[in-house]
Amino acid sequence: MHHDRILVINPNSSRRVTQGIDTALDAMRVHSPFPIEVMDIPEAPAGITLQSDADTTAPLVQAAIRAHKAAAYGIACFSDPGVTGARENTPTTTIRGIGESAILQAMTRGDRFGIIALSHKSILRQRRLVRMMGLCERYAGSYPVETTAEGATDSMLLERMLDAAAHLRTMGADTLIMGCAGMAHFQQSLEHQTNRPVIEPTRAAVALLIGDLVLSK
């Protein structure tokens, strides 16, 4: 086991989502001086739809960080469950949530960001995250595709995401964020067809983690 590794934790129990995240990070492994590994949490919910799902998952994320040694951690759920508490317990270890990381990257690519959400219920958590980060003026809004992380590979999803992207553009977004780790494989298609920057949250988090580790050397 490499203790200088970056460990990306999918805080749900969906193997399909974990595999999608792992595949999406392959392109980054070529350039990373640090091994990038991905794991999920078998006892966690199959997907994080409600705030109660995120609350249930937070202690499981913190337990996983304690149990699995790494130089830095990425938490691959847009709600960033367990991140704040984990930072309290390991203040010198870099722990990044993909939601926060995606928003930070989006703000360096354009003036206002919009988030493609899985569902109306997930929009409530996205609004809270933006508000807690103090970034309401840079947030154009979120628009749902009405599916789940498990359903994020269905053939209709790209069409729904393009529709959401069009709505977000009319709401004033010039940068688009995919609001779920399970959407990763659509990033290039979406960016090509919208001709706007599209932020894939897990890659955004891992890019920041690589930078953190390089700077700490």
Coordinates of all heavy atoms in Angstrom, one line a residue, residues 77-79 98-99 102-103 106 112-127 130 139-149 152 156-169 171 173-184 186-191 193-194 196-201:
C77 N -18.8 12.7 -3.5 CA -20.2 12.9 -3.5 C -20.4 14.5 -3.4 O -19.7 15.1 -2.7 CB -20.9 12.3 -2.3 SG -22.6 12.9 -2.1
F78 N -21.2 15.0 -4.3 CA -21.3 16.5 -4.4 C -21.8 17.1 -3.1 O -21.6 18.3 -2.9 CB -22.3 16.8 -5.5 CG -22.0 18.2 -6.1 CD1 -21.1 18.3 -7.1 CD2 -22.7 19.3 -5.7 CE1 -20.8 19.5 -7.7 CE2 -22.4 20.6 -6.2 CZ -21.5 20.7 -7.2
S79 N -22.4 16.3 -2.2 CA -22.8 16.9 -0.9 C -21.6 17.0 0.1 O -21.8 17.6 1.2 CB -23.9 16.0 -0.2 OG -25.0 15.9 -1.0
I98 N -15.8 16.8 -3.5 CA -15.9 17.2 -4.9 C -16.8 18.3 -5.2 O -16.6 19.1 -6.2 CB -16.2 15.9 -5.8 CG1 -17.7 15.5 -5.5 CG2 -15.2 14.8 -5.6 CD1 -18.2 14.4 -6.5
G99 N -17.8 18.6 -4.3 CA -18.7 19.7 -4.5 C -18.0 21.0 -4.4 O -18.0 21.9 -5.3
A102 N -15.3 21.4 -7.2 CA -15.9 21.8 -8.5 C -16.3 23.3 -8.6 O -16.0 23.9 -9.6 CB -17.1 20.9 -8.8
I103 N -16.9 23.7 -7.5 CA -17.3 25.1 -7.5 C -16.0 26.1 -7.5 O -16.0 27.1 -8.3 CB -18.1 25.4 -6.2 CG1 -19.5 24.7 -6.4 CG2 -18.3 26.9 -6.0 CD1 -20.3 24.7 -5.1
A106 N -14.8 26.0 -11.1 CA -15.7 26.7 -12.0 C -15.5 28.2 -11.9 O -15.6 28.9 -12.9 CB -17.1 26.3 -11.6
R112 N -20.1 33.1 -13.7 CA -21.2 32.5 -13.0 C -21.3 31.0 -13.3 O -21.3 30.7 -14.5 CB -22.5 33.2 -13.2 CG -22.5 34.7 -12.8 CD -23.8 35.3 -13.0 NE -24.8 34.9 -12.0 CZ -26.1 35.0 -12.2 NH1 -26.6 35.3 -13.3 NH2 -26.9 34.6 -11.2
F113 N -21.5 30.2 -12.3 CA -21.6 28.7 -12.6 C -23.0 28.2 -12.4 O -23.7 28.8 -11.6 CB -20.6 27.9 -11.7 CG -20.8 28.1 -10.2 CD1 -21.7 27.3 -9.5 CD2 -20.2 29.2 -9.5 CE1 -21.9 27.5 -8.1 CE2 -20.4 29.3 -8.1 CZ -21.3 28.5 -7.5
G114 N -23.4 27.2 -13.1 CA -24.6 26.5 -13.0 C -24.4 25.1 -12.8 O -23.4 24.5 -13.3
I115 N -25.2 24.4 -12.0 CA -25.0 23.0 -11.6 C -26.1 22.1 -12.3 O -27.3 22.4 -12.1 CB -25.0 22.8 -10.1 CG1 -23.9 23.7 -9.5 CG2 -24.7 21.3 -9.8 CD1 -24.0 23.7 -7.9
I116 N -25.7 21.1 -13.0 CA -26.6 20.1 -13.5 C -26.9 19.1 -12.3 O -26.0 18.4 -11.9 CB -26.1 19.4 -14.7 CG1 -25.8 20.4 -15.8 CG2 -27.0 18.3 -15.2 CD1 -25.1 19.8 -17.0
A117 N -28.1 19.1 -11.8 CA -28.4 18.3 -10.6 C -29.1 17.0 -11.0 O -29.7 16.9 -12.1 CB -29.3 19.1 -9.7
L118 N -28.9 16.0 -10.2 CA -29.7 14.8 -10.4 C -31.2 14.9 -10.3 O -31.9 14.4 -11.1 CB -29.2 13.7 -9.4 CG -27.9 13.0 -9.7 CD1 -27.6 12.0 -8.6 CD2 -27.9 12.3 -11.1
S119 N -31.6 15.7 -9.2 CA -33.0 15.8 -9.0 C -33.3 17.1 -8.2 O -32.4 17.8 -7.8 CB -33.4 14.6 -8.1 OG -32.9 14.8 -6.8
H120 N -34.6 17.4 -8.1 CA -35.0 18.6 -7.4 C -34.5 18.5 -5.9 O -34.1 19.5 -5.3 CB -36.5 18.8 -7.4 CG -37.0 19.4 -8.6 ND1 -36.9 20.8 -8.9 CD2 -37.7 18.9 -9.7 CE1 -37.4 21.1 -10.0 NE2 -37.9 20.0 -10.6
K121 N -34.5 17.3 -5.4 CA -34.1 17.2 -4.0 C -32.6 17.5 -3.8 O -32.2 18.0 -2.8 CB -34.4 15.7 -3.5 CG -35.9 15.5 -3.3 CD -36.2 14.0 -3.0 CE -37.7 13.8 -2.8 NZ -38.0 12.3 -2.7
S122 N -31.8 17.1 -4.8 CA -30.4 17.4 -4.6 C -30.1 18.9 -4.8 O -29.1 19.4 -4.3 CB -29.6 16.6 -5.6 OG -30.0 16.8 -6.9
I123 N -31.0 19.7 -5.5 CA -30.8 21.1 -5.6 C -30.8 21.8 -4.2 O -30.0 22.7 -4.0 CB -31.9 21.7 -6.5 CG1 -31.7 21.3 -8.0 CG2 -31.9 23.2 -6.4 CD1 -32.7 21.7 -8.9
L124 N -31.6 21.3 -3.3 CA -31.7 21.9 -2.0 C -30.3 21.9 -1.3 O -29.8 22.8 -0.7 CB -32.7 21.2 -1.1 CG -34.2 21.3 -1.6 CD1 -35.1 20.5 -0.7 CD2 -34.6 22.7 -1.7
R125 N -29.6 20.7 -1.4 CA -28.3 20.6 -0.8 C -27.3 21.4 -1.6 O -26.4 22.0 -1.0 CB -27.9 19.1 -0.8 CG -28.7 18.2 0.0 CD -28.0 16.9 0.3 NE -27.5 16.3 -0.8 CZ -28.1 15.6 -1.8 NH1 -29.5 15.5 -1.7 NH2 -27.5 15.1 -2.8
Q126 N -27.4 21.5 -2.9 CA -26.5 22.4 -3.7 C -26.6 23.8 -3.3 O -25.6 24.5 -3.1 CB -26.7 22.2 -5.2 CG -26.3 20.8 -5.6 CD -26.8 20.5 -7.0 OE1 -27.3 21.3 -7.7 NE2 -26.5 19.2 -7.5
R127 N -27.8 24.3 -3.1 CA -28.0 25.7 -2.7 C -27.4 26.0 -1.3 O -26.7 27.0 -1.1 CB -29.5 26.0 -2.6 CG -30.2 26.3 -3.9 CD -31.6 26.7 -3.6 NE -32.4 26.6 -4.8 CZ -33.7 26.3 -4.8 NH1 -34.3 26.0 -3.7 NH2 -34.4 26.3 -6.0
V130 N -23.5 26.2 -1.7 CA -23.1 27.5 -2.3 C -23.3 28.6 -1.2 O -22.4 29.4 -1.1 CB -24.0 27.8 -3.5 CG1 -23.7 29.2 -4.0 CG2 -23.7 26.8 -4.6
Y139 N -23.4 32.2 -8.4 CA -24.2 31.0 -8.6 C -25.4 31.4 -9.5 O -26.3 32.1 -9.0 CB -24.6 30.4 -7.3 CG -25.6 29.2 -7.3 CD1 -25.3 28.1 -8.0 CD2 -26.7 29.2 -6.4 CE1 -26.1 27.0 -8.0 CE2 -27.5 28.1 -6.3 CZ -27.2 27.0 -7.1 OH -28.1 25.9 -7.0
A140 N -25.5 30.8 -10.7 CA -26.7 31.1 -11.6 C -27.8 30.2 -11.1 O -29.0 30.6 -11.4 CB -26.3 30.8 -13.0
G141 N -27.6 29.0 -10.6 CA -28.6 28.1 -10.2 C -28.3 26.7 -10.5 O -27.3 26.4 -11.1
S142 N -29.2 25.8 -10.2 CA -29.1 24.4 -10.6 C -30.4 24.0 -11.4 O -31.4 24.6 -11.2 CB -29.1 23.5 -9.3 OG -28.0 23.8 -8.5
Y143 N -30.2 23.0 -12.2 CA -31.3 22.5 -13.0 C -31.3 20.9 -13.0 O -30.2 20.4 -13.2 CB -31.3 23.0 -14.4 CG -32.6 22.9 -15.1 CD1 -33.6 23.9 -15.0 CD2 -32.9 21.7 -15.9 CE1 -34.8 23.7 -15.7 CE2 -34.1 21.6 -16.5 CZ -35.1 22.6 -16.4 OH -36.3 22.4 -17.0
P144 N -32.4 20.3 -12.7 CA -32.4 18.8 -12.5 C -32.6 18.0 -13.8 O -33.2 18.4 -14.7 CB -33.5 18.6 -11.6 CG -34.5 19.6 -12.0 CD -33.7 20.8 -12.4
V145 N -31.9 16.8 -13.8 CA -32.2 15.9 -14.9 C -33.2 14.8 -14.4 O -33.6 13.9 -15.2 CB -30.9 15.2 -15.4 CG1 -30.1 16.3 -16.2 CG2 -30.1 14.6 -14.4
E146 N -33.5 14.8 -13.1 CA -34.5 13.8 -12.5 C -34.1 12.4 -12.7 O -34.8 11.6 -13.4 CB -35.9 14.1 -13.0 CG -36.5 15.4 -12.6 CD -36.5 15.6 -11.0 OE1 -36.4 14.7 -10.3 OE2 -36.6 16.8 -10.6
T147 N -32.9 12.0 -12.2 CA -32.5 10.6 -12.2 C -31.7 10.3 -10.9 O -31.6 11.2 -10.1 CB -31.7 10.2 -13.5 OG1 -31.5 8.8 -13.5 CG2 -30.4 11.0 -13.5
T148 N -31.2 9.2 -10.8 CA -30.3 8.8 -9.6 C -28.9 8.5 -10.0 O -28.6 8.4 -11.2 CB -30.9 7.6 -8.9 OG1 -30.8 6.5 -9.8 CG2 -32.3 7.7 -8.5
A149 N -28.0 8.5 -9.1 CA -26.6 8.1 -9.4 C -26.5 6.8 -10.1 O -25.7 6.6 -11.0 CB -25.7 8.2 -8.1
A152 N -27.4 7.0 -13.8 CA -26.7 8.0 -14.5 C -26.0 7.5 -15.7 O -25.2 8.3 -16.4 CB -25.7 8.7 -13.6
M156 N -30.6 8.1 -22.2 CA -31.4 9.4 -22.3 C -30.6 10.5 -21.5 O -31.0 11.7 -21.7 CB -32.8 9.2 -21.7 CG -33.7 8.3 -22.4 SD -34.2 9.1 -24.0 CE -35.1 10.5 -23.4
L157 N -29.7 10.1 -20.7 CA -29.1 11.1 -19.8 C -28.4 12.3 -20.5 O -28.6 13.4 -20.1 CB -28.2 10.5 -18.7 CG -27.8 11.4 -17.6 CD1 -29.0 12.0 -16.9 CD2 -27.0 10.6 -16.6
L158 N -27.6 12.0 -21.5 CA -26.9 13.1 -22.2 C -27.9 14.1 -22.8 O -27.7 15.3 -22.6 CB -26.0 12.5 -23.3 CG -25.2 13.6 -24.1 CD1 -24.3 14.4 -23.1 CD2 -24.4 13.0 -25.2
E159 N -29.0 13.6 -23.3 CA -30.0 14.5 -23.8 C -30.6 15.4 -22.7 O -30.8 16.6 -22.9 CB -31.2 13.7 -24.5 CG -32.1 14.5 -25.4 CD -33.0 13.5 -26.2 OE1 -32.6 12.5 -26.7 OE2 -34.2 13.9 -26.1
R160 N -30.9 14.8 -21.6 CA -31.4 15.5 -20.4 C -30.4 16.5 -19.9 O -30.7 17.6 -19.5 CB -31.8 14.6 -19.3 CG -33.0 13.7 -19.6 CD -33.3 12.9 -18.3 NE -34.3 11.9 -18.6 CZ -34.8 11.1 -17.7 NH1 -34.4 11.2 -16.4 NH2 -35.7 10.2 -17.9
M161 N -29.1 16.1 -19.9 CA -28.1 17.0 -19.5 C -27.9 18.2 -20.4 O -27.7 19.4 -20.0 CB -26.7 16.3 -19.3 CG -26.8 15.3 -18.2 SD -25.3 14.2 -18.0 CE -24.2 15.4 -17.3
L162 N -28.0 18.0 -21.7 CA -27.9 19.1 -22.7 C -29.1 20.1 -22.5 O -28.9 21.3 -22.6 CB -27.9 18.5 -24.1 CG -26.6 17.9 -24.5 CD1 -26.8 17.1 -25.8 CD2 -25.5 18.9 -24.7
D163 N -30.3 19.5 -22.2 CA -31.4 20.3 -21.9 C -31.2 21.2 -20.6 O -31.5 22.4 -20.6 CB -32.7 19.4 -21.8 CG -33.9 20.2 -21.5 OD1 -34.3 21.1 -22.3 OD2 -34.5 20.0 -20.4
A164 N -30.7 20.5 -19.6 CA -30.4 21.2 -18.4 C -29.3 22.3 -18.6 O -29.5 23.5 -18.1 CB -29.9 20.3 -17.3
A165 N -28.3 22.0 -19.4 CA -27.3 23.0 -19.7 C -27.9 24.2 -20.4 O -27.5 25.4 -20.1 CB -26.2 22.4 -20.6
A166 N -28.8 24.0 -21.4 CA -29.5 25.1 -22.1 C -30.3 26.0 -21.1 O -30.2 27.2 -21.2 CB -30.4 24.5 -23.2
H167 N -31.0 25.3 -20.2 CA -31.7 26.1 -19.2 C -30.7 26.9 -18.3 O -31.0 28.1 -18.0 CB -32.5 25.2 -18.3 CG -33.9 24.8 -18.9 ND1 -34.0 23.7 -19.6 CD2 -35.1 25.4 -18.8 CE1 -35.3 23.6 -20.0 NE2 -35.9 24.6 -19.6
L168 N -29.6 26.3 -17.9 CA -28.7 27.0 -17.1 C -28.0 28.2 -17.8 O -27.8 29.3 -17.2 CB -27.6 26.1 -16.6 CG -28.1 25.0 -15.6 CD1 -27.0 23.9 -15.4 CD2 -28.4 25.7 -14.2
R169 N -27.8 28.1 -19.1 CA -27.3 29.2 -19.9 C -28.3 30.4 -19.9 O -27.9 31.5 -19.7 CB -27.0 28.8 -21.3 CG -25.9 27.8 -21.5 CD -24.5 28.3 -21.2 NE -24.2 29.6 -21.9 CZ -23.8 29.6 -23.1 NH1 -23.6 28.5 -23.8 NH2 -23.5 30.7 -23.7
M171 N -30.3 31.0 -17.5 CA -30.3 31.5 -16.2 C -29.0 32.3 -15.9 O -28.8 32.9 -14.8 CB -30.4 30.4 -15.2 CG -31.7 29.7 -15.2 SD -31.7 28.0 -14.5 CE -31.4 28.3 -12.8
A173 N -25.6 31.1 -16.5 CA -24.4 30.4 -16.3 C -23.5 30.4 -17.5 O -23.9 30.1 -18.6 CB -24.7 28.9 -15.9
D174 N -22.2 30.7 -17.3 CA -21.2 30.6 -18.4 C -20.3 29.4 -18.2 O -19.5 29.0 -19.0 CB -20.5 31.9 -18.6 CG -19.8 32.4 -17.4 OD1 -19.7 31.7 -16.4 OD2 -19.4 33.6 -17.4
T175 N -20.4 28.8 -17.0 CA -19.6 27.6 -16.7 C -20.6 26.5 -16.1 O -21.4 26.9 -15.3 CB -18.5 27.9 -15.7 OG1 -17.7 29.0 -16.2 CG2 -17.6 26.7 -15.5
L176 N -20.4 25.3 -16.5 CA -21.3 24.2 -16.1 C -20.6 23.2 -15.2 O -19.5 22.8 -15.5 CB -21.9 23.5 -17.3 CG -22.6 24.4 -18.3 CD1 -22.9 23.7 -19.6 CD2 -23.9 25.0 -17.8
I177 N -21.3 22.8 -14.1 CA -20.7 21.8 -13.2 C -21.7 20.6 -13.3 O -22.9 20.7 -13.2 CB -20.7 22.3 -11.8 CG1 -19.7 23.5 -11.7 CG2 -20.2 21.2 -10.8 CD1 -19.7 24.2 -10.3
M178 N -21.1 19.4 -13.4 CA -21.9 18.2 -13.4 C -22.0 17.8 -11.9 O -21.0 17.6 -11.2 CB -21.2 17.1 -14.1 CG -21.1 17.4 -15.6 SD -20.7 16.0 -16.7 CE -19.0 15.6 -16.1
G179 N -23.3 17.8 -11.4 CA -23.6 17.7 -10.0 C -23.6 16.3 -9.4 O -24.1 16.1 -8.3
C180 N -22.9 15.4 -10.0 CA -22.8 14.0 -9.5 C -21.6 13.3 -10.1 O -21.3 13.4 -11.3 CB -24.1 13.2 -9.8 SG -24.0 11.5 -9.3
A181 N -20.9 12.5 -9.2 CA -19.7 11.8 -9.7 C -20.1 10.8 -10.7 O -19.3 10.4 -11.6 CB -19.1 11.1 -8.5
G182 N -21.4 10.3 -10.7 CA -21.8 9.3 -11.7 C -22.0 9.8 -13.1 O -22.2 9.0 -14.0
M183 N -21.9 11.1 -13.3 CA -22.0 11.7 -14.6 C -20.7 11.8 -15.4 O -20.6 12.3 -16.5 CB -22.6 13.2 -14.5 CG -24.0 13.3 -13.9 SD -24.4 15.0 -13.7 CE -26.1 14.9 -13.1
A184 N -19.6 11.4 -14.8 CA -18.2 11.7 -15.2 C -18.0 11.4 -16.7 O -17.4 12.2 -17.4 CB -17.2 11.0 -14.4
F186 N -19.8 11.7 -19.2 CA -20.4 12.6 -20.2 C -19.6 14.0 -20.4 O -20.0 14.8 -21.2 CB -21.8 13.0 -19.7 CG -22.8 11.8 -19.8 CD1 -23.3 11.2 -18.7 CD2 -23.2 11.3 -21.0 CE1 -24.1 10.1 -18.7 CE2 -24.0 10.2 -21.1 CZ -24.5 9.6 -19.9
Q187 N -18.6 14.1 -19.6 CA -17.9 15.5 -19.6 C -17.5 16.0 -20.9 O -17.8 17.1 -21.3 CB -16.7 15.4 -18.6 CG -16.2 16.8 -18.3 CD -14.9 17.2 -19.0 OE1 -14.3 16.3 -19.6 NE2 -14.7 18.5 -19.1
Q188 N -16.8 15.2 -21.7 CA -16.3 15.6 -23.0 C -17.4 15.9 -24.0 O -17.4 16.9 -24.7 CB -15.3 14.6 -23.6 CG -14.0 14.6 -22.8 CD -12.9 13.7 -23.5 OE1 -13.2 12.5 -23.7 NE2 -11.7 14.2 -23.7
S189 N -18.4 15.0 -24.0 CA -19.5 15.2 -24.9 C -20.3 16.5 -24.6 O -20.6 17.3 -25.5 CB -20.5 14.0 -24.8 OG -19.9 12.8 -25.3
L190 N -20.5 16.7 -23.3 CA -21.2 17.9 -22.9 C -20.5 19.2 -23.2 O -21.0 20.1 -23.7 CB -21.5 17.8 -21.4 CG -22.6 18.6 -20.8 CD1 -24.0 18.2 -21.4 CD2 -22.7 18.4 -19.3
E191 N -19.1 19.2 -23.0 CA -18.3 20.4 -23.2 C -18.3 20.6 -24.7 O -18.4 21.8 -25.1 CB -16.9 20.2 -22.7 CG -16.1 21.4 -22.7 CD -14.9 21.4 -21.8 OE1 -15.0 21.7 -20.6 OE2 -13.8 21.0 -22.3
Q193 N -20.6 19.8 -27.0 CA -21.9 20.2 -27.6 C -22.4 21.5 -27.0 O -23.2 22.2 -27.7 CB -22.9 19.1 -27.3 CG -22.6 17.8 -28.1 CD -23.7 16.8 -28.1 OE1 -24.8 17.2 -28.4 NE2 -23.4 15.6 -27.8
T194 N -21.9 21.9 -25.8 CA -22.4 23.2 -25.3 C -21.4 24.3 -25.6 O -21.7 25.5 -25.5 CB -22.5 23.1 -23.8 OG1 -21.3 22.8 -23.2 CG2 -23.6 22.1 -23.4
R196 N -19.0 25.3 -23.8 CA -18.7 26.0 -22.5 C -17.9 25.1 -21.7 O -17.9 23.8 -21.8 CB -20.0 26.3 -21.8 CG -21.1 27.1 -22.5 CD -20.5 28.4 -23.0 NE -19.8 29.2 -22.0 CZ -19.0 30.2 -22.3 NH1 -18.9 30.6 -23.5 NH2 -18.4 30.9 -21.3
P197 N -17.1 25.7 -20.7 CA -16.4 24.8 -19.8 C -17.3 23.9 -19.0 O -18.3 24.4 -18.4 CB -15.7 25.8 -18.9 CG -15.7 27.1 -19.6 CD -16.9 27.1 -20.4
V198 N -17.0 22.7 -18.9 CA -17.8 21.7 -18.1 C -16.9 21.1 -17.0 O -15.9 20.5 -17.4 CB -18.5 20.6 -18.9 CG1 -19.2 19.6 -18.1 CG2 -19.5 21.2 -19.9
I199 N -17.2 21.3 -15.8 CA -16.4 20.9 -14.7 C -16.9 19.5 -14.2 O -18.1 19.3 -13.9 CB -16.4 21.8 -13.5 CG1 -16.2 23.3 -13.9 CG2 -15.5 21.4 -12.4 CD1 -14.8 23.5 -14.6
E200 N -16.0 18.5 -14.2 CA -16.3 17.2 -13.7 C -15.7 17.2 -12.2 O -14.5 17.3 -12.0 CB -15.6 16.1 -14.5 CG -16.2 14.7 -14.3 CD -15.8 14.1 -13.0 OE1 -14.6 14.0 -12.7 OE2 -16.7 13.9 -12.2
P201 N -16.6 17.0 -11.2 CA -16.2 17.3 -9.9 C -15.1 16.4 -9.3 O -14.2 16.9 -8.6 CB -17.5 17.1 -9.1 CG -18.6 17.2 -10.0 CD -18.0 16.8 -11.4

